[in-house]
Amino acid sequence: MYLAKKKKEIDIKDPATWSADKITQQVKYEIVKYRPSREKYIVYPLRLIDDSERKFSNNYYYKKLYNGEIVNRKCLIFSVSIDKVFCFCCKLFSNSNPNPNPNTPNT
């Protein structure tokens, strides 16, 4: 599903298109309402990082705790368009302020 805004399109399934300057509260509502689902059969591309080939894996969606419990990291969402993973809440609700704590002085 695409939502038009400022002559640019926002794909509610792709977090790479959710820039703070073009997302309204209504768009955020629609994104939360239709929460992006994880594609089950993605072939993640290999990338060269620090002279080694790496790629994202579905295994990163889960974390094994010290007690053996496996926790689903539901907040993680993958952008196929730019081959990157994002925290759903961070991407959608953070502002572009590099210093989010107003009590911390800029250095």
Side-chain angles (χ1 to χ4, degrees):
M1 173 181 273
Y2 290 90
L3 300 170
K5 177 77 174 147
K6 294 185 183 179
K7 297 183 181 180
K8 294 182 182 179
E9 290 186 343
I10 298 169
D11 182 350
I12 65 172
K13 294 182 178 183
D14 186 2
T17 66
W18 306 349
S19 63
D21 64 330
K22 61 182 175 178
I23 287 198
T24 64
Q25 290 295 354
Q26 180 61 34
V27 173
K28 288 180 183 180
Y29 173 81
E30 294 297 321
I31 291 171
V32 170
K33 183 178 173 183
Y34 295 105
R35 174 148 177 124
S37 61
R38 294 179 183 161
E39 301 288 334
K40 291 185 179 184
Y41 304 105
I42 293 178
V43 177
Y44 299 102
L46 282 173
R47 301 178 86 191
L48 189 61
I49 300 173
D50 296 330
D51 296 327
S52 64
E53 288 185 336
R54 299 177 146 222
K55 67 178 180 174
F56 188 76
S57 167
N58 285 337
N59 294 333
Y60 295 129
Y61 288 133
Y62 302 92
K63 180 178 183 167
K64 187 173 185 178
L65 303 179
Y66 291 111
N67 67 0
E69 180 183 357
I70 297 175
V71 177
N72 184 349
R73 295 176 170 175
K74 293 180 182 179
C75 64
L76 294 181
I77 52 174
F78 186 79
S79 170
V80 177
S81 68
I82 61 171
D83 186 29
K84 290 187 179 181
V85 67
F86 295 94
C87 166
F88 177 80
C89 295
C90 300
K91 182 66 177 168
L92 190 58
F93 298 109
S94 68
N95 59 25
S96 58
N97 183 359
N99 188 7
N101 185 348
N103 297 324
T104 304
N106 291 326
T107 56

